[in-house]
Amino acid sequence: MMRPQSDFIHDFVPGSSKRTLLLLHGTGGNERDLIPLGHELDPNASLLSPRGKVLENGMPRFFRRLAEGVFDLEDLKKRTHELADFMVTAAQRYEFDLKKVVAVGYSNGANIAASTLLLRPESMSAAVLFRAMVPFVPETMPNLESVRVWIGAGDSDPIIPASETKQLAELLRSAKADVTIRFFQSGHELTSDDVDLAREWLTRSVD
Ligand code: MLT
């Protein structure tokens, strides 16, 4: 039998609470990469961690890009739907509630998380976006009224200018999302300050 398109190589780590963190790695990562980060952010949550299906010089990603920061939008949208469909089947298989899913993405993973918020907002209730860009500007804005988003940016990120991060925050706010944006003294890499503040935010603001 052919594997359904919505299937992803993934890790699932069951937790003791009802929350599930959807972990989305950066370019060159895999399904095991962000498991420790997931445990750090919420030791009680279940963790669902797919591996991106696109290969760029052997490095897994969640969608194709034409150059650094220049996305293949057709592929991005197709892959976003694949990921959202995977979430639906994973929720049935592992018996978790999509309304209790918090996406946690880094870089390329944060970009597909943002794209999922725009195209398939029913897939999650909140998102933690580390080093994210504007994936695209949708023709029709989703209603993100009940969605909370935390964005962590590097103030000297060579790939993502501060203006781009602010645009992403504005885009999500224009869809009525509750957005928190934080800048850290760093580049594109993740810092322990990012993790500490994201954890506090998750504990305080997301049920
Ligand atoms: C992307 O392609 O999503 C961004 O350029 C971030 C990256 O993966 O380096």
Side-chain angles (χ1 to χ4, degrees), residues 21 36-43 104 128 130 195 198-199 202-203:
L21 302 183
L37 173 67
H39 283 310
E40 262 193 86
L41 288 173
D42 184 345
V104 176
V128 173
F130 296 115
V195 179
R199 186 201 304 110
L202 258 181
T203 313

Side-chain angles (χ1 to χ4, degrees), residues 186-206:
S186 81
H188 199 62
E189 74 282 1
L190 194 57
T191 69
S192 56
D193 286 346
D194 280 84
V195 179
D196 289 345
L197 264 77
R199 186 201 304 110
E200 269 176 40
W201 175 84
L202 258 181
T203 313
R204 231 181 325 109
S205 327
V206 184

Side-chain angles (χ1 to χ4, degrees), residues 76-153:
L76 170 56
K77 289 178 185 174
K78 179 181 122 189
R79 301 290 175 186
T80 301
H81 285 295
E82 276 182 7
L83 181 64
D85 292 345
F86 165 71
M87 299 289 296
V88 173
T89 47
Q92 287 165 353
R93 173 168 170 199
Y94 297 117
E95 300 182 328
F96 64 81
D97 184 352
L98 288 175
K99 292 191 184 69
K100 297 275 182 198
V101 169
V102 179
V104 176
Y106 168 68
S107 189
N108 181 247
N111 295 338
I112 194 138
S115 175
T116 308
L117 279 172
L118 297 173
L119 287 180
R120 299 285 294 271
E122 74 284 3
S123 309
M124 62 188 76
S125 67
V128 173
L129 307 177
F130 296 115
R131 310 298 180 268
M133 304 170 78
V134 176
F136 60 90
V137 177
E139 279 166 33
T140 327
M141 286 308 269
N143 180 356
L144 299 177
E145 218 161 16
S146 57
V147 177
R148 288 170 188 275
V149 182
W150 186 93
I151 300 173

Side-chain angles (χ1 to χ4, degrees), residues 27 61 63 65 69 71 107-108 111 133:
T27 302
R61 289 175 49 84
F63 57 89
R65 63 178 162 185
F71 303 151
S107 189
N108 181 247
N111 295 338
M133 304 170 78

